[in-house]
Amino acid sequence: MASRVVLTQALRWTVRHIISSGRCRLPAPPRLPAPPRLPAPCSGCRALCSSSSRHHQDPTPPSGKAVSEPSLHSLAELGFTEAQAGQIHQAVSSLKKRGAGRDVLSSLTVMLVLGFNCSSVLKLLEKCPELCTVKEAQLQQRINNLRKLGLIEGSLQRTVAHYPDVLTVPVKTVKSVMHFLREKCLFTSQQLTHILRDSPQVVLEDLDQLEYKFQYVYFRMGVKQADMVKFRLFRFTLDEVRCRHAFLERRGFYQTPDKKGQTLIINPRLDSVLHSDLDSFLTHVAQASAEEYRVFQKLLAREWKEEELQQGGIQAEREEEEEEEEADDDEDETTGNSGYMKRRKR
C-alpha cells in the first residue's frame, strides 16, 4: 500500500516536470473539410438580387444633392393646388437646361411676394418658363432696377404680366438700352418710363435696329418723340413699320416732311398706321384691297433683299480697299527703311 502511494507521487512529479520543461506538446486539432463550392448564380438571379437591393435602398436623396424639381408638398405650402403643381412640373420639365428647376421655389416665392396670386404666377410661367432658371437674388435685383427706372407698384405688376421676359434680362442690358434711348434718341426720363411700361420688349432689341427704327420714323415719317411714346412705337418691329409706311407713301397717302416739318398733304397719325387691324388699315387708311397689299409685300421683300445684297457688296469693297491701303502703307514703310539703310552703309 505504501509502495503504491510512493509510485503515484513519483508519477505525478514526473508529469509536472515534463510539462514545465515544455517537452510535452498537445496534439493539433483536426482539420475541418473545406465547404463545398456553390454554383454561380444565373443572370436572372443577378437581376432579381440587384432589383431587390435597389428596392430596399433609401429613396431620399443625400443631403448635399440638389433636387431638380420642387415637390408637390412644397408647392402646396405656397398655396398651389394639385393641378397647378402638375402644370408647374410640366413647365419646369419642358426646359432643356440642366438643373432648371433648382431655383423654382425661390422664383415662385418672389412672384407671390410681388403681388401675384397662384393663378397669375402660373400664367407667367406659361408665357416665360425661363423664370424658373433665374435665381432669387437676380430676380430681386432686376425688380429693384425696374423700380428705379420709374415703374411704381401697379405699373410694375402690369409690365411683368404683359411681358415676363423682362425679368430674364440682366440689369446691365436694361441700363444699356435706357442709356441709348436717352443719349441717342433724346427721350426724357419720364418718356423712358412710359416706354418701359408699355413696350418692355425694347430691352431685348438690337441697338443697331433700334437706332435705325428711330431714325426712320423720325426723319422719313416726321414723327416726334412724344408721339412715338404715346402711340407705343416700340411694340412693332422695323419691318412692320416700314411696310405700312411704304405702302401709304407709294399710294400717295403719306409724304416725308421737308426741313421745316411741312407737307403738302395731311399724313395719317402713327396710331392709325400701326394700331389699326389689317382690314381697318386697308379700308380707312390705305384705301386698297387685301390682294394689292399682299402683292406689295412680296415686291417690297424682294427690294429689301436686293438692298441687303448691294450693301453687303459695298461693305466688302470697302474692306478690300482698306486692306489694299494698309498693304501699300506697309510696302512704303519697308521701302523707306531699306533706302535709309543703304544711305547709312555709304
Side-chain angles (χ1 to χ4, degrees):
M1 185 70 180
S3 60
R4 183 179 299 176
V5 173
V6 172
L7 289 174
T8 302
Q9 291 178 352
L11 181 60
R12 288 178 181 174
W13 181 86
T14 303
V15 171
R16 290 175 183 173
H17 178 71
I18 293 173
I19 293 175
S20 62
S21 62
R23 286 179 292 178
C24 179
R25 296 178 181 177
L26 296 176
R31 293 183 178 181
L32 297 177
R37 294 184 178 181
L38 298 177
C42 61
S43 59
C45 296
R46 288 179 189 147
L48 180 61
C49 294
S50 60
S51 63
S52 61
S53 62
R54 286 195 301 266
H55 177 71
H56 290 290
Q57 288 178 353
D58 188 6
T60 59
S63 58
K65 186 177 180 180
V67 183
S68 60
E69 292 184 1
S71 64
L72 295 177
H73 177 70
S74 58
L75 292 174
E77 288 182 345
L78 292 178
F80 293 95
T81 63
E82 185 176 353
Q84 291 173 339
Q87 292 178 350
I88 292 174
H89 273 280
Q90 186 177 1
V92 174
S93 60
S94 66
L95 297 173
K96 296 181 180 180
K97 186 176 179 181
R98 187 176 180 180
R102 190 174 302 169
D103 303 305
V104 62
L105 286 179
S106 58
S107 302
L108 295 175
T109 304
V110 172
M111 293 296 101
L112 292 172
V113 172
L114 189 58
F116 295 100
N117 55 30
C118 294
S119 300
S120 301
V121 171
L122 193 59
K123 292 179 181 179
L124 294 179
L125 292 182
E126 290 176 355
K127 287 184 178 181
C128 181
E130 288 77 13
L131 279 178
C132 299
T133 65
V134 185
K135 296 181 179 180
E136 180 181 2
Q138 292 176 335
L139 275 177
Q140 291 289 358
Q141 187 180 13
R142 293 168 187 179
I143 291 172
N144 293 335
N145 182 58
L146 294 178
R147 288 193 174 105
K148 291 179 182 179
L149 292 173
L151 294 182
I152 59 176
E153 299 303 319
S155 297
L156 177 60
Q157 284 77 6
R158 284 192 295 269
T159 301
V160 174
H162 170 67
Y163 193 74
D165 298 72
V166 72
L167 295 181
T168 64
V169 184
V171 172
K172 185 178 180 180
T173 303
V174 176
K175 289 183 177 180
S176 176
V177 174
M178 294 296 105
H179 180 267
F180 173 82
L181 292 174
R182 181 185 296 109
E183 299 298 327
K184 297 293 184 179
C185 305
L186 303 180
F187 288 102
T188 64
S189 298
Q190 186 176 4
Q191 289 173 341
L192 290 177
T193 301
H194 293 326
I195 291 174
L196 190 59
R197 180 195 63 195
D198 299 329
S199 311
Q201 59 269 25
V202 72
V203 298
L204 288 176
E205 195 163 350
D206 180 72
L207 293 183
D208 293 334
Q209 291 289 321
L210 192 60
E211 183 178 10
Y212 186 82
K213 178 165 60 177
F214 170 79
Q215 292 180 352
Y216 183 91
V217 176
Y218 187 85
F219 293 106
R220 287 290 305 276
M221 300 179 66
V223 181
K224 304 302 179 183
Q225 287 90 336
D227 287 336
M228 293 182 193
V229 176
K230 181 179 180 180
F231 300 123
R232 302 183 293 278
L233 165 68
F234 298 103
R235 282 194 177 186
F236 301 90
T237 64
L238 175 62
D239 291 343
E240 291 173 340
V241 176
R242 291 174 64 189
C243 189
R244 290 201 174 189
H245 168 256
F247 189 62
L248 293 174
E249 190 177 41
R250 298 187 187 185
R251 290 185 61 83
F253 294 110
Y254 208 105
Q255 191 176 53
T256 300
D258 56 15
K259 295 181 179 179
K260 296 182 180 180
Q262 298 177 352
T263 57
L264 299 177
I265 62 174
I266 300 177
N267 290 331
R269 296 193 312 173
L270 188 63
D271 186 25
S272 302
V273 176
L274 297 180
H275 287 277
S276 301
D277 59 82
L278 184 58
D279 293 336
S280 299
F281 171 74
L282 294 175
T283 304
H284 303 292
V285 184
Q287 300 179 14
S289 63
E291 183 63 24
E292 288 175 325
Y293 187 65
R294 192 179 301 110
V295 173
F296 173 78
Q297 285 179 310
K298 293 181 180 179
L299 295 175
L300 190 61
R302 189 181 304 172
E303 290 180 10
W304 289 347
K305 189 174 182 180
E306 292 176 356
E307 289 178 1
E308 291 178 358
L309 293 175
Q310 186 177 2
Q311 290 177 358
I314 295 174
Q315 183 66 22
E317 290 179 359
R318 289 179 180 176
E319 292 177 356
E320 290 179 0
E321 290 177 357
E322 291 176 357
E323 291 177 358
E324 291 177 358
E325 291 177 359
E326 292 177 357
D328 293 340
D329 293 340
D330 294 340
E331 185 177 355
D332 293 340
E333 291 179 1
T334 305
T335 305
N337 292 334
S338 62
Y340 174 74
M341 294 298 294
K342 289 179 180 178
R343 286 195 299 270
R344 287 195 62 182
K345 288 180 179 180
R346 290 178 185 176

